[in-house]
Amino acid sequence: MAEFIVEKSTATGFCSGVKRAIEIVENVARERGQVETLGAIVHNHQVLKRLDDIGVKVVDSIDDIKGDTIVIGAHGVSPQLEKELRQRVKEVIDTTSCPFVHRAQIAASRLAEAGFFTIIYGDANHPEVKGILGWAEGKGLATMDSNVISTLGSLPHHIGILSQTTQIPSGFTEFIKNVIDSLLTKDSEIRIIDTICHDIRKRQQAALELAGRVDVMLVIGSTTSANTNHLADLCSTVATTYFIETEDDILPSWFKGHQRIGVTGGASTSEDTINDVVARLEKMSRE
Ligand code: SF4
């Protein structure tokens, strides 16, 4: 195989929110031997496997909790669910120390208090979005499709718009424009709050710049990770992009006739996983 150049994005590895959540749950598991988390604490299979090895067990629902302690993941939960958990177990450990997730939750709560109906630009099934909707006291909806807004019969006049923290900024801007267009003749008051995470913006920008000067991009992470999916979508607009989980997924045929390969990863992909991919590519290039 011909030699090629491998370049890693300048913004990779765990984001601060994921790093902190992992540290908290690791410490608890080491101290107590075992601990349960409600849902995956981060959306990355390699990280979850490593945590499982030290006693971190994932339970899918509140009814599956066996112990007296439960850990909440990095993307938070609604106040209602937190209350239910506190009634169910002795201790709730909240790893949602991320200021961006908190900001979105507080924004939704303030909008609800002020009588606004909250529209969240995001995946309605994602735990973070469900959590934020809970902070909006159920007075809101989540969607990626701005057309949904115009089909709603009667919307309140006071509308707040915010975003899931990991969305692509240009998509949010487009969504806002469309919502404004469909509400303008309805005497609405619209408040827009930019709740997209700074880490994600930086990561997407760096990946996009890199994708612009390579032939092939590899985006590393689990398919369950919203931000990694968005990163792959973004890169595929400028370069041939492959979404992989580890170095074992790489196929040499992808690089035939290509000189420059770029590598990036989502906020829940460890730097070790990224470095393993880079090392495998460099080895392939020498062979
Ligand atoms: S991706 Fe951003 S919002 Fe999500 S946990 Fe990381 S720093 Fe926080």
Side-chain angles (χ1 to χ4, degrees):
M1 178 172 285
E3 265 188 45
F4 45 76
I5 296 162
V6 182
E7 194 180 338
K8 186 166 86 166
S9 169
T10 51
T12 55
F14 294 144
C15 65
S16 54
V18 164
K19 202 170 168 187
R20 178 94 184 108
I22 293 172
E23 274 168 13
I24 293 172
V25 79
E26 272 177 349
N27 288 340
V28 176
R30 289 212 173 93
E31 271 167 25
R32 306 182 189 184
Q34 185 160 322
V35 71
E36 290 168 302
T37 67
L38 184 65
I41 189 162
V42 293
H43 292 141
N44 183 278
H45 295 133
Q46 285 66 44
V47 175
L48 292 176
K49 165 81 184 61
R50 195 170 54 73
L51 291 175
D52 184 80
D53 291 344
I54 60 163
V56 179
K57 304 295 165 195
V58 179
V59 296
D60 292 329
S61 80
I62 198 163
D63 295 327
D64 297 329
I65 301 172
K66 295 186 189 74
D68 56 10
T69 302
I70 192 74
V71 178
I72 297 171
H75 25 245
V77 295
S78 67
Q80 301 80 0
L81 180 53
E82 187 172 344
K83 194 174 161 202
E84 256 186 83
L85 288 168
R86 291 197 185 280
Q87 283 162 354
R88 171 77 184 238
V89 294
K90 273 197 202 142
E91 192 183 6
V92 176
I93 300 171
D94 187 358
T95 68
T96 326
S97 53
C98 171
F100 302 109
V101 176
H102 269 306
R103 185 162 184 267
Q105 293 174 337
I106 298 301
S109 168
R110 288 197 179 139
L111 285 169
E113 264 172 39
F116 278 67
F117 182 84
T118 300
I119 297 171
I120 303 171
Y121 173 65
D123 172 3
N125 293 317
H126 192 279
E128 179 198 285
V129 175
K130 286 183 182 169
I132 298 170
L133 263 183
W135 283 81
E137 297 170 15
K139 287 176 242 159
L141 63 86
T143 182
M144 300 284 292
D145 179 5
S146 52
N147 292 323
V148 167
I149 312 301
S150 53
T151 62
L152 293 172
S154 59
L155 268 179
H157 290 299
H158 299 87
I159 309 279
I161 309 175
L162 44 86
S163 173
Q164 182 177 359
T165 56
T166 53
Q167 288 295 334
I168 297 171
S170 58
F172 184 40
T173 311
E174 194 57 33
F175 180 84
I176 293 167
K177 279 187 201 155
N178 293 341
V179 175
I180 290 175
D181 275 351
S182 62
L183 292 177
L184 263 191
T185 54
K186 298 183 178 158
D187 305 324
S188 306
E189 179 184 343
I190 305 170
R191 278 190 201 170
I192 298 159
I193 304 160
D194 174 9
T195 49
I196 293 180
C197 156
H198 291 191
D199 174 286
I200 293 298
R201 276 183 192 277
K202 214 170 116 193
R203 194 176 293 264
Q204 289 179 352
Q205 251 164 27
L208 211 49
E209 273 166 29
L210 178 58
R213 57 174 188 272
V214 297
D215 306 307
V216 176
M217 271 303 280
L218 297 189
V219 178
I220 308 156
S222 290
T223 49
T224 46
S225 159
N227 80 83
T228 317
N229 277 292
H230 296 149
L231 210 51
D233 288 347
L234 209 56
C235 291
S236 66
T237 61
V238 278
T240 301
T241 300
Y242 296 98
F243 189 152
I244 59 167
E245 195 150 19
T246 69
E247 81 265 26
D248 295 334
D249 301 328
I250 300 171
L251 292 182
S253 58
W254 293 344
F255 313 119
K256 255 188 208 144
H258 295 307
Q259 264 87 52
R260 300 186 76 92
I261 317 297
V263 177
T264 188
S268 49
T269 307
S270 76
E271 199 65 49
D272 287 349
T273 305
I274 307 266
N275 290 339
D276 288 346
V277 168
V278 171
R280 173 71 68 94
L281 289 171
E282 286 173 346
K283 186 166 175 277
M284 284 167 73
S285 169
R286 289 192 301 269
E287 281 167 354

